[in-house]
Amino acid sequence: RRPDPSACQTSNFPNLKATNVIMGCCTSILEQKGTDHVKIKGDHKTSFDIVVNMISAEGVPDCDSSLNSEVRKADAYASFFLSEDEHGNDHLTNAMRTPYRLNANKPVWNSRRHFHGMHNEDKKLYLAIQLFDFDSLSNDDLIGEAAVDITSLKNGEVVRAELKFNPKTVPATHKEKCFVSFSVYKNVQWPTEKTVFFIRHGESKWNEAEHKIKKEGALMTGAAAMASQRDHALNDIGIEQARALNRRWKATRDGRDIKSDDVPKGMSYGEEPTTEDEKAFFEAELIYSSPLTRALQTCLLALEDHPTILEKGVKLQRQLREVKNRIGWDALGKEVGEDIPKRVKEQLLLELKAKAEQLKDLSEDDVNKVTGVKIELNDTFTHWWDPDRDTSTEISDRLSDLIHTLRFSQEKTIICVGHSLFFREMCRAFIGGGHRFTRNLSSRKPIEGKEQQKPEGSPKSKKTEKVVSEEERTTWEALKDMAPKKKLGNGACLMAKFDFSKPEMEDWNISRAKLMFSSTFK
């Protein structure tokens, strides 16, 4: 289902071949670091370090045959590379690409990619761009292309480049022009150490239905409740879990004891956070949230009164959505664009009305306050969820896209509100280094400890449970082992320190992690 560069039509850039089209610097299945067309010449004596932010496109023509006007729209993605030639010859870099956007005439990507290498400083630098329509059952269609002189561009300057259409894809009768917008950043000193706080959403109506199946054996009613709607909101328990996290970090900030009622159940691992760790959270410079309702609701409730949410608001980030498994109804969105925050508020008010007794400490004015902050819609104006199951390659694509967004920004401390499975994949990928993208971490050795003794006659289990001592649990090694295996508890917060000191993503890693504000794993 992902774009297949080997199926792309030929173009005016003949050197752009399948082995050179990669997503970021990812060492996933998607990476193919072919260098046969990257030619280092004797006059290439000047180094370059450039980050390209491929922002969006507009005027993308319909490319698919269908009676449905939405389905006719292109599933657009951009592929791009650096060259010293306006026709795309003399590759200086491999080509990289954005994710594709489903059924989008105005796709928004905001995808950052890093290029570094050598060139001749006496020659111009060109960014060669190709726009494709992804097709699952046939070759991807080249829509159009452009080569833009970026030699004298200022950092952050947005360029709107007109594409020359491919006549094999776009008929001559099509009159509307198509543009791609991007910006470049040359030789910028990006922070090489960053602290990212991952917050899992509170309990949702989906989780509630799962509990009914597991505890009550209510298979039919539970499954019906899960499948009857998309984009499940928080239930009353989840709302309180998010508000409890808010009370815990505020108590820590103000030097007060955390109330026992606000401490979640579950197992804690790792070292205690330091005052410096807590300060980083209080002063986090940027807040991202998954656009799924339960995550954005958690974000607004848990981070109420945080200085950054008051000053800058929240930025939606589609790559933070949950991983979709074989069933995965809880990973499907319902609204796009401006309707996302409207649904968030609507669902909070509905739950407040339905569970007035359980939520007696929450008022309509409170809901109006938390949902009144600025919400930047970012890349959610079009279909931002995947209707099919996420493959390992697609998960790698998402991790790559998100980690490049985090890496190539000036903010040193960032909060990301999202989902347990995606956060677990992030830990699997980067605890120990980005080269772990394709490694199956279920084979990791468990923490050394005594085996749990079972009473005679008890059924044998394929898995051997381990008893981990308190002393063992309070080490970085314990958390390092558990984070790729366990789910964060609902309303939990995990701090991860990223080391970006090396240029290749395979060397980026989470060098330290800690559970914050009495958070636990499930």
Side-chain angles (χ1 to χ4, degrees), residues 444-487:
R444 279 190 171 186
K445 291 182 179 180
I447 303 171
E448 293 299 326
K450 296 180 180 179
E451 293 188 8
Q452 190 173 23
Q453 298 297 320
K454 294 187 176 182
E456 292 184 12
S458 62
K460 293 183 179 180
S461 173
K462 293 182 180 179
K463 294 183 178 180
T464 303
E465 297 291 334
K466 297 284 184 177
V467 174
V468 183
S469 70
E470 178 68 25
E471 183 178 355
E472 288 175 311
R473 285 210 322 268
T474 57
T475 65
W476 158 234
E477 290 300 322
L479 183 60
K480 187 176 180 181
D481 190 85
M482 286 296 109
K485 300 176 181 178
K486 297 280 189 179
K487 287 184 180 181

Side-chain angles (χ1 to χ4, degrees), residues 18 46 70 103 109 141-142 150 184 189 212 272 282 292 325 353 357 381 406 464 472 494 522:
T46 304
E70 283 297 307
N103 300 332
W109 300 297
D141 298 316
L142 172 65
I150 64 171
V184 298
Q189 296 299 312
K212 286 185 178 181
E272 285 292 317
F282 306 146
L292 284 163
N325 56 27
K353 183 177 180 180
E357 179 61 28
F381 286 97
L406 299 177
T464 303
E472 288 175 311
L494 176 70
K522 288 189 71 172

Side-chain angles (χ1 to χ4, degrees), residues 184-244:
V184 298
Y185 300 86
K186 305 173 188 174
N187 301 315
V188 173
Q189 296 299 312
W190 307 98
T192 57
E193 293 184 358
K194 296 200 174 188
T195 303
V196 181
F197 296 92
F198 297 114
I199 296 176
R200 186 195 175 190
H201 64 82
E203 183 176 300
S204 68
K205 295 179 184 295
W206 168 274
N207 300 138
E208 185 178 349
E210 285 183 314
H211 297 332
K212 286 185 178 181
I213 293 177
K214 291 178 180 178
K215 293 183 178 180
E216 302 173 15
L219 178 60
M220 296 304 296
T221 56
M226 286 193 285
S228 63
Q229 58 178 313
R230 294 183 175 185
D231 195 12
H232 305 81
L234 295 178
N235 62 11
D236 60 303
I237 295 173
I239 290 172
E240 274 306 303
Q241 287 169 335
R243 299 184 76 207

Side-chain angles (χ1 to χ4, degrees), residues 218-432:
L219 178 60
M220 296 304 296
T221 56
M226 286 193 285
S228 63
Q229 58 178 313
R230 294 183 175 185
D231 195 12
H232 305 81
L234 295 178
N235 62 11
D236 60 303
I237 295 173
I239 290 172
E240 274 306 303
Q241 287 169 335
R243 299 184 76 207
L245 175 58
N246 182 265
R247 292 191 291 268
R248 295 201 303 274
W249 72 255
K250 284 180 178 177
T252 303
R253 178 198 61 187
D254 299 338
R256 295 181 281 109
D257 292 334
I258 295 175
K259 294 182 179 179
S260 58
D261 290 345
D262 288 334
V263 177
K265 296 179 181 179
M267 187 66 75
S268 181
Y269 290 87
E271 304 161 322
E272 285 292 317
T274 65
T275 302
E276 183 180 349
D277 298 331
E278 294 162 350
K279 183 180 179 182
F281 180 90
F282 306 146
E283 298 178 356
E285 303 162 87
L286 181 62
I287 298 171
Y288 282 117
S289 175
S290 157
L292 284 163
T293 295
R294 61 191 182 277
L296 185 50
Q297 287 177 328
T298 300
C299 179
L300 299 175
L301 291 166
L303 299 177
E304 180 185 7
D305 297 327
H306 190 284
T308 298
I309 207 169
L310 295 176
E311 180 183 352
K312 300 178 182 179
V314 180
K315 189 171 185 177
L316 299 186
Q317 170 54 255
R318 67 161 67 195
Q319 304 298 22
L320 281 171
R321 69 188 186 275
E322 183 59 300
V323 173
K324 189 176 186 305
N325 56 27
R326 187 172 287 104
I327 301 174
W329 291 307
D330 62 333
L332 299 175
K334 188 176 181 67
E335 306 292 352
V336 299
E338 296 178 352
D339 290 330
I340 295 173
K342 290 179 182 178
R343 174 176 168 78
V344 163
K345 181 176 181 178
E346 173 189 275
Q347 292 297 312
L348 278 175
L349 290 173
L350 285 174
E351 189 69 7
L352 176 61
K353 183 177 180 180
K355 301 290 181 67
E357 179 61 28
Q358 292 89 334
L359 299 172
K360 57 186 177 183
D361 294 330
L362 182 69
S363 68
E364 187 172 332
D365 287 341
D366 294 328
V367 173
N368 291 332
K369 176 189 173 185
V370 298
T371 57
V373 301
K374 177 184 176 182
I375 298 176
E376 186 177 343
L377 302 175
N378 191 24
D379 56 0
T380 62
F381 286 97
T382 57
H383 196 113
W384 47 264
W385 60 92
D386 195 331
D388 300 315
R389 180 183 182 184
D390 283 322
T391 65
S392 59
T393 297
E394 288 162 338
I395 294 170
S396 292
D397 283 7
R398 288 176 54 191
L399 289 169
S400 176
D401 201 48
L402 179 63
I403 202 67
H404 278 77
T405 298
L406 299 177
R407 168 68 180 98
F408 296 109
S409 68
Q410 289 297 342
E411 290 83 7
K412 294 182 179 179
T413 51
I414 301 170
I415 296 174
C416 294
V417 184
H419 308 269
S420 61
L421 296 183
F422 185 75
F423 289 156
R424 188 169 65 184
E425 292 297 336
M426 179 70 77
C427 290
R428 286 176 175 176
F430 291 101
I431 290 181

